[in-house]
Amino acid sequence: MPMNGFSVGRDVSIDLFGSLGAVERFNLITQFEKKQNTTRVTIKGLDGKNRYLELPEGWEGSMSITRGDRRVDDYFAALEDAYYDGGDIQEASITETITEPGGGVSQWRYEGVMLKLDDAGTAKGDAEITQKISFCATRRRRVI
């Protein structure tokens, strides 16, 4: 729920619609970062003024997951198997759902997603294992 009129991290849920057809809901996602990529174009006018364009170039981001089971490992093992078996690995999508401070819900869908397991985790005594997945997406659309 929002607090004092502001969104906080617990207002957000993430669902991954995998490229292998399965809907994945990974264990405890503790962080979700996203940013828009753009390419800047400079237009140098004859009047001596520079003008700028920012052309959309997709989105990228990452998520950190506290390992509670083998779902992340299984998912990326299946992707790797599909690649080496000559399978056609399709793009995935990510849906981000946010409970807004006013009580409404916003939902964003990242389309054309390719995923990478950046960090499968480090095991050490009396500590959680954090896994990190990065993504790049063709675009982000508002769903609701």
Side-chain angles (χ1 to χ4, degrees):
M1 299 299 288
M3 297 186 84
N4 199 23
F6 295 98
S7 293
V8 294
R10 64 186 295 175
D11 303 336
V12 178
S13 66
I14 305 297
D15 292 301
L16 170 66
F17 297 86
S19 61
L20 300 175
V23 176
E24 298 291 339
R25 182 167 269 199
F26 294 133
N27 254 344
L28 180 59
I29 298 175
T30 57
Q31 186 172 344
F32 183 71
E33 297 178 7
K34 70 271 187 181
K35 72 175 186 170
Q36 183 185 36
N37 294 327
T38 62
T39 295
R40 179 170 290 169
V41 175
T42 303
I43 301 170
K44 299 181 182 232
L46 293 176
D47 60 3
K49 292 182 183 176
N50 290 341
R51 291 158 180 91
Y52 301 96
L53 305 173
E54 291 290 337
L55 305 176
E57 292 275 329
W59 288 75
E60 66 181 74
S62 65
M63 60 186 90
S64 295
I65 299 165
T66 299
R67 190 179 192 284
D69 59 28
R70 65 185 205 196
R71 276 183 273 186
V72 171
D73 297 298
D74 284 350
Y75 182 78
F76 284 96
L79 285 179
E80 190 172 349
D81 286 346
Y83 173 79
Y84 283 111
D85 292 343
D88 184 15
I89 299 172
Q90 298 292 313
E91 57 193 30
S93 68
I94 296 171
T95 302
E96 176 185 23
T97 305
I98 304 168
T99 303
E100 300 291 351
V105 173
S106 295
Q107 197 170 65
W108 304 91
R109 181 157 301 125
Y110 299 83
E111 299 173 342
V113 172
M114 294 306 289
L115 299 163
K116 177 184 172 205
L117 182 58
D118 286 326
D119 188 348
T122 300
K124 59 184 179 178
D126 296 332
E128 77 278 1
I129 297 174
T130 300
Q131 298 176 306
K132 188 166 185 176
I133 298 171
S134 64
F135 70 91
C136 54
T138 303
R139 66 179 300 170
R140 180 179 83 154
R141 291 183 192 258
R142 184 170 177 189
V143 178
I144 58 172

